[in-house]
Amino acid sequence: MDAVPRRDFLAEFNQAPFARAEEMLKPCVDLPRWTSEISFARPFGTGAELVSFAELAAPDWTEAEIAAALVSHPRIGERSSGAGREAELSRGEQSGIALSAGIREQLEEGNRRYEERFGRVFLIRAAGRSAEEILAVLSERLENTDEAELAATAAALREIAVLRLEGLLNR
């Protein structure tokens, strides 16, 4: 049986029409200013160049941009039920979190308190973190000012977007 050829995301992205290039980035984060800025900057010589650019693209995301990008993110500790590529990535990112009943209840309570306090879903890079670590960060971030928490959410959103982009480049 022949092996399935590996998709060359970078070559496809560099050669795609502009609208298609933006679509290719949306599973990372559906933030039009970010996807447009990166797509305009093509071509990239290496995946590392693309990732470096993406880390800084479209700085200073607005509260409205962040709110729009968070629409497709499930609460931490819950599995996304969406059908798109972003939902699939989110399920994968949270799949490694082992949740005991006690931790699940604490995360549910923390999520509820966070949403009451900040009016949006709590966001953190779940990949590579334990449920206990996530719960500790959630508790710490509940103490943030609105401004500090908006910055923390933007940083988490960008971190997730870049990790997802690296995943697309390496599959």
Side-chain angles (χ1 to χ4, degrees):
M1 191 184 270
D2 292 334
V4 175
R6 186 170 170 216
R7 179 177 170 208
D8 188 346
F9 180 88
L10 181 63
E12 185 179 337
F13 176 70
N14 280 336
Q15 296 167 8
F18 185 80
R20 173 69 184 127
E22 287 185 302
E23 286 297 318
M24 292 174 72
L25 294 174
K26 282 185 178 182
C28 301
V29 63
D30 192 359
L31 206 148
R33 191 163 53 97
W34 186 78
T35 61
S36 292
E37 191 171 307
I38 296 168
S39 297
F40 273 124
R42 295 173 304 154
F44 293 94
T46 65
E49 288 175 13
L50 172 55
V51 167
S52 291
F53 190 88
E55 289 175 330
L56 303 174
D60 303 322
W61 292 345
T62 67
E63 190 167 357
E65 287 174 321
I66 292 167
L70 288 177
V71 167
S72 60
H73 281 273
R75 288 179 182 93
I76 199 74
E78 294 179 2
R79 302 294 189 245
S80 174
S81 59
R85 178 73 177 129
E86 190 171 1
E88 177 186 331
L89 290 169
S90 183
R91 281 191 294 275
E93 291 158 0
Q94 289 200 42
S95 66
I97 303 172
L99 294 175
S100 66
I103 292 289
R104 181 178 306 279
E105 289 172 9
Q106 290 176 58
L107 280 173
E108 287 172 1
E109 174 63 16
N111 282 327
R112 184 192 60 72
R113 289 180 50 221
Y114 184 93
E115 289 171 21
E116 286 176 0
R117 169 108 167 72
F118 296 109
R120 65 180 162 270
V121 68
F122 170 70
L123 186 72
I124 186 171
R125 175 190 47 81
R129 287 193 164 119
S130 70
E132 292 78 12
E133 288 175 280
I134 292 169
L135 186 57
V137 172
L138 172 56
S139 296
E140 289 171 15
R141 285 181 42 193
L142 277 165
E143 303 302 319
N144 279 347
T145 64
D146 289 348
E147 185 177 271
E149 187 50 31
L150 185 63
T153 301
L157 194 57
R158 185 175 298 274
E159 182 181 12
I160 292 166
V162 169
L163 285 172
R164 288 177 175 180
L165 179 58
E166 289 172 334
L168 291 173
L169 287 163
N170 293 318
R171 45 175 211 165

